[in-house]
Each structure stands twice: as structure tokens, then as C-alpha cells.
Amino acid sequence: QIREGLSFVWNDRFLLGCVTLDLFAVLLGGATALLPVFARDILLIDGQPVGANGLGIMRAMPGLGAALVAFVLARRPISNNVGNKMLFAVVVFGLFTVGFGLSTNFYLSLLMLIGIGAGDMVSVFIRSTLVQLHTPDAVRGRVSSISGLAVSASNELGEMQSGVAAALLGAAGAAVFGGLGAIAITAAWYFLFPELKAV
């Protein structure tokens, strides 16, 4: 049954594009794993690191951005050009990730984290809905499980990638590299999976 689900996703270009877009974008854009380093070494208030209190606030900001977008989407659902909007949301996610990596101002970094959460929420909302609507009843459970597995794996592997990149490029460089990588993946998927734009 697992093999059948994987085979179905692999042979359906629309589903493959949706699942792998999120997989690779989050894999590269996992800047939130680096927040402790930013709180300790990079972001200052009155010349002092923001520390544990600042870290707690930063950790909450992507969730705040996601919650605000979820409220807006509940009031005003997306009804047209959803594929293009999903791709644009991943680009927004990448741009805010780059902005976070470049920022040395704590309050600006908070805004960047809100934007990261907002862009990610739009992408996840659209992708999850499209996967459900596009999948036949007979394999919907298996396809949803594969999609969920891809999301979970990309989050965990993305944190590892961010750590390795930070060791090589520094925390700020790793965040910028990840954000640019997410944008590059979206640009590639725009041409590799034209099916995504047709929805």
C-alpha cells in the first residue's frame, strides 16, 4: 500500500510538484533552527544580546504570522490563480528568510520572522488543499501520509542543513543561503512543473 501511494505521487506530476516544492523549499529555508545563535551572538538591545527572553519572542513570531494569515484566509479564501499564489508564497518565504539573515536589528528581525510564518502558511494552506482535491478517494489517505512525511522530513533535515551551513558560512550566511535556495527552487519548479501554474 505504501508503494502504491509513492508510485501514484511519482507518476502524477501535479502532486509530485506540490509535495517536492514544499520538501525542498523548507529543506533549504530552515532559518528558525538558528534562532538561538541569533539571540546569543547577533541580535542586540542596548548593546546586550537579546538572550533567552528574545529567543522566546522570536520563536513565537512565525506562529503569529501564520495565525494572522490563517484568520485572513478563513475570512477571504483564495479562489483563483491558486497555483501561482502558492509559488509566490514560497518566494515570499524565501525573501523574508534572506531579510532575517541580513538583519542585525532585533525588531526588524521579528517582522521578518512574522513574514516567514505568513508566507509558509499560505503555501501550506494551498498545497494541502490542492493535494486533497486532486487525489482520488482510493489513495487519498496514502497520498496525504506521503505529503505529511515530506513536510516532517523537510523540517528535520532542514534544521540539520542549517546547522551544517552555519558551520561553513556563519548563522547569518546560512539563513541568507537558505532563503536564496528556496527562491531558486521555486523558480526551477515554475518551469519544471507547469501543471502548478494551471490551477
Side-chain angles (χ1 to χ4, degrees), residues 3 21 26 95 100 161 179:
R3 186 171 61 248
L21 173 65
V26 175
L95 289 173
F100 175 76
Q161 178 274 329

Side-chain angles (χ1 to χ4, degrees), residues 102-139:
L102 294 175
S103 172
T104 57
N105 180 282
F106 177 62
Y107 300 104
L108 178 59
S109 294
L110 295 182
L111 290 176
M112 295 297 106
L113 289 169
I114 290 173
I116 287 172
D120 189 45
M121 182 62 184
V122 173
S123 172
V124 169
F125 173 80
I126 295 175
R127 180 185 51 78
S128 299
T129 303
L130 290 178
V131 167
Q132 292 288 321
L133 293 175
H134 188 79
T135 306
D137 292 344
V139 291

Side-chain angles (χ1 to χ4, degrees), residues 53-107:
N53 289 336
L55 174 60
I57 296 171
M58 286 193 290
R59 291 291 297 176
M61 290 302 102
L64 174 61
L68 292 172
V69 168
F71 177 77
V72 172
L73 290 175
R75 302 279 297 179
R76 300 182 60 133
I78 299 171
S79 58
N80 55 19
N81 295 321
V82 291
N84 283 323
K85 288 175 182 174
M86 176 178 67
L87 293 166
F88 180 72
V90 179
V91 171
V92 169
F93 168 83
L95 289 173
F96 277 110
T97 301
V98 171
F100 175 76
L102 294 175
S103 172
T104 57
N105 180 282
F106 177 62
Y107 300 104

Side-chain angles (χ1 to χ4, degrees), residues 169-190:
L169 305 172
V176 171
F177 170 79
L180 292 175
I183 295 169
I185 287 292
T186 307
W189 260 234
Y190 182 85

